């Protein structure tokens, strides 16, 4: 398998601490009999990270990620969390999510700083890229994603590239946006190819072929197959469906069926 599939569950701010522990325990049970050949990652809120991490400590099937991190190593940043504080609990961290970008004005440059910092601390960055509805209407999807990828890769080494996971997640396709729309799988494949081409331009074909790229936005058990069936789509970033253990399990299974044994 050239690229190990990855399914990342983004729990957002949907679960209480008790609820988070219930979901992780249920998931652990459900995954018991399943042969896991992908990276299955759950991303709770900061407040539940340590206990969720403890709950999966001996599991070789579930890994834990954070939903954000600050771009500075340490300092006077009230309310923020640093990469060095996450290392005890997580192996993964989502950055550049559109909800975070919209809320705090997070820039591509800050996303790039965060990626570098996470890599320095041995945490896999899950970097979200994608255009808004307005940008799509203005036919700016390609230019927007190109810009985001260029900035992200500007100061990354080839070794670091192999440790990152990128996600094409069109903002308008996220379920919380309520548009009810998703891109055609072939459109996702085109953007994934675009991202890989940019990576190849900087690091060569072999490195680009090893880069994992996921799709994100309204993934459900009944639609994931169509996306991972496309060449180059290595899994998914799952929001709403990830807090329902049965749905998440179904998505994991479908990804593995489609590309797990590649
Ligand atoms: P969704 O969320 O699956 O509920 O659309 C995805 C995300 O925002 O990461």
């Amino acid at each position: 398998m050239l690229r190990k599939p990855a399914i990342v569950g983004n729990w957002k701010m949907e679960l209480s601490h008790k609820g988070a522990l219930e979901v992780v325990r249920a998931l652990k049970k459900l995954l018991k009999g399943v042969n896991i050949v992908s990276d299955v990652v759950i991303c709770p809120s900061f407040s539940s990270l340590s206990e969720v991490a403890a709950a999966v400590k001996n599991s070789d099937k579930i890994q834990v990620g954070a939903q954000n991190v600050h771009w500075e190593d340490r300092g006077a940043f009230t309310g923020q969390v640093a990469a060095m504080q996450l290392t005890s609990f997580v192996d993964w961290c989502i950055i550049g999510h559109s909800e975070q970008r919209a809320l705090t004005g997070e820039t591509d440059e800050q996303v790039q700083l965060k990626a570098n910092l996470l890599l320095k601390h041995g945490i896999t960055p899950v970097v979200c890229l994608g255009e808004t509805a307005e940008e799509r209407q203005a036919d700016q999807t390609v230019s927007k994603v190109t810009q985001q990828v260029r900035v992200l890769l500007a100061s990354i080494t080839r070794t670091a590239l192999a440790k990152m996971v990128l996600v094409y997640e069109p903002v308008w396709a996220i379920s919380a946006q309520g548009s009810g729309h998703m891109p055609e799988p072939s459109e996702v494949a085109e953007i994934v190819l675009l991202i890989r081409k940019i990576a190849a331009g900087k690091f060569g074909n072999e490195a680009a072929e090893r880069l994992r790229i996921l799709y994100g936005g309204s993934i459900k058990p009944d639609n994931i197959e169509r996306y991972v069936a496309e060449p180059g789509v290595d899994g998914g970033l799952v929001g709403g469906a990830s807090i329902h253990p049965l749905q998440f399990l179904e998505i994991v299974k479908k990804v593995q069926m489609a590309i797990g044994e590649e």
Side-chain angles (χ1 to χ4, degrees):
M1 203 185 335
L2 180 61
R3 297 183 300 267
K4 191 177 185 184
I7 306 98
V8 181
N10 175 8
W11 290 1
K12 308 197 178 188
M13 206 176 67
E14 298 289 1
L15 294 165
S16 66
H17 180 56
K18 188 166 166 272
L21 293 177
E22 280 166 9
V23 172
V24 68
R25 285 181 194 131
L27 208 53
K28 245 174 93 175
K29 263 196 199 151
L30 287 171
L31 286 172
K32 251 190 190 143
V34 186
N35 180 29
I36 296 296
V37 294
S38 22
D39 283 320
V40 177
V41 185
I42 50 174
C43 303
S45 296
F46 289 132
S47 50
S48 296
L49 274 185
S50 94
E51 281 199 56
V52 168
V56 298
K57 202 167 180 218
N58 300 316
S59 162
D60 54 356
K61 299 188 174 173
I62 310 175
Q63 303 171 63
V64 179
Q67 294 176 18
N68 190 25
V69 68
H70 197 267
W71 63 86
E72 293 280 354
D73 225 347
R74 63 172 66 229
F77 298 102
T78 303
Q80 301 298 310
V81 174
M84 58 98 173
Q85 296 171 318
L86 292 174
T87 50
S88 312
F89 313 113
V90 311
D91 293 311
W92 299 71
C93 183
I94 297 169
I95 53 174
H97 192 282
S98 57
E99 285 156 14
Q100 183 63 29
R101 290 181 193 254
L103 199 66
T104 64
E106 184 180 67
T107 63
D108 294 338
E109 286 72 18
Q110 287 166 350
V111 173
Q112 186 234 318
L113 291 173
K114 290 180 178 192
N116 274 319
L117 203 54
L118 289 169
L119 290 163
K120 184 179 129 195
H121 287 280
I123 299 172
T124 301
V126 179
V127 191
C128 303
L129 314 159
E131 80 287 1
T132 62
E134 296 72 33
E135 286 160 349
R136 185 177 178 84
Q137 267 150 28
D139 215 7
Q140 290 168 352
T141 301
V142 168
S143 59
K144 177 65 185 274
V145 175
T146 301
Q147 170 70 6
Q148 288 178 327
V149 178
R150 288 234 162 95
V151 175
L152 177 69
L153 301 186
S155 67
I156 296 269
T157 63
R158 183 178 281 115
T159 323
L161 183 78
K163 295 184 180 144
M164 293 205 297
V165 172
L166 271 46
V167 186
Y168 173 50
E169 182 167 81
V171 180
W172 51 273
I174 292 176
S175 64
Q177 296 280 318
S179 77
H181 297 306
M182 292 175 81
E184 284 303 318
S186 58
E187 294 176 275
V188 172
E190 269 172 39
I191 299 298
V192 165
L193 187 64
L194 167 77
I195 297 171
R196 231 178 231 112
K197 273 194 181 147
I198 301 169
K202 188 161 159 69
F203 299 105
N205 283 340
E206 205 188 314
E209 279 305 314
R210 291 187 184 283
L211 173 64
R212 288 192 282 178
I213 308 176
L214 317 181
Y215 166 70
S218 297
I219 292 176
K220 299 282 178 290
D222 63 4
N223 62 31
I224 181 67
E225 268 166 313
R226 298 177 59 223
Y227 292 91
V228 288
E230 290 292 334
V233 182
D234 303 314
L237 175 62
V238 187
S242 71
I243 58 169
H244 303 288
L246 277 170
Q247 288 189 30
F248 193 58
L249 170 77
E250 213 42 47
I251 291 167
V252 169
K253 281 185 174 169
K254 292 212 161 142
V255 170
Q256 295 204 156
M257 264 193 303
I259 55 176
E261 307 297 341
E262 219 172 41

